[in-house]
Amino acid sequence: MALLRPLDKLPILDVATILLLGAEETLLKQLAMTIVQLCEGTAKIQVHMASCLPLPTDRECFRPRIDLIVFVLNLHSKYSLTTVETSLPHVDASFFLGKVCFLVTGEKSHTAVSTWTPSRNWPPPTTAFFSLVTWR
């Protein structure tokens, strides 16, 4: 049962590694594909998915350093909340200084994917403070 620490491994040059954590695999896959497509050509992004923490220790030596952890919460699933709650103790406190975000999904009035950036429209919509990607 290893604790995830932000600086326990050397970084890979010019590559950012994102860990998506959540109970719904299809949502994680869709989010991972969207991140990779949006960053294609501008940045090298590795996206890894897990349903919960702790991560298995048998492949610890092959795992890259994790630069960002995204906890995905679905408002319509209590299991989603319990998954995040049980995973939080396995993350070192120093990760919460800019290396963790919570993505909240499940708003009924939205049906497609859209992203929000401060340069595009300011002031931000109210849901942008809680998530990087709003599912519409």
Side-chain angles (χ1 to χ4, degrees):
M1 191 164 102
L3 192 66
L4 280 181
R5 290 181 168 55
L7 301 174
D8 63 346
K9 294 185 176 197
L10 293 174
I12 301 172
L13 289 176
D14 300 329
V15 176
T17 305
I18 300 173
L19 177 63
L20 300 177
L21 275 162
E24 298 181 21
E25 187 177 344
T26 56
L27 182 64
L28 293 180
K29 283 183 182 179
Q30 184 181 10
L31 180 60
M33 294 296 291
T34 304
I35 291 171
V36 169
Q37 287 173 357
L38 287 175
C39 296
E40 194 172 348
T42 58
K44 296 178 185 173
I45 302 286
Q46 290 182 349
V47 180
H48 297 269
M49 298 180 294
S51 58
C52 63
L53 291 178
L55 297 174
T57 57
D58 58 344
R59 302 199 34 93
E60 177 73 32
C61 59
F62 299 114
R63 188 177 307 130
R65 184 177 85 170
I66 297 170
D67 298 309
L68 176 67
I69 299 175
V70 180
F71 289 99
V72 181
L73 289 156
N74 187 347
L75 294 177
H76 300 293
S77 170
K78 186 170 180 154
Y79 179 66
S80 174
L81 179 63
T82 57
T83 300
V84 171
E85 285 178 335
T86 57
S87 297
L88 284 175
H90 301 286
V91 179
D92 188 48
S94 59
F95 245 113
F96 290 94
L97 297 172
K99 294 182 175 281
V100 169
C101 72
F102 294 88
L103 180 87
V104 180
T105 65
E107 199 174 336
K108 289 183 179 181
S109 63
H110 300 294
T111 54
V113 176
S114 71
T115 57
W116 174 82
T117 56
S119 61
R120 187 173 69 191
N121 49 359
W122 190 260
T126 56
T127 56
F129 288 114
F130 299 106
S131 64
L132 298 175
V133 177
T134 304
W135 297 90
R136 294 187 181 194

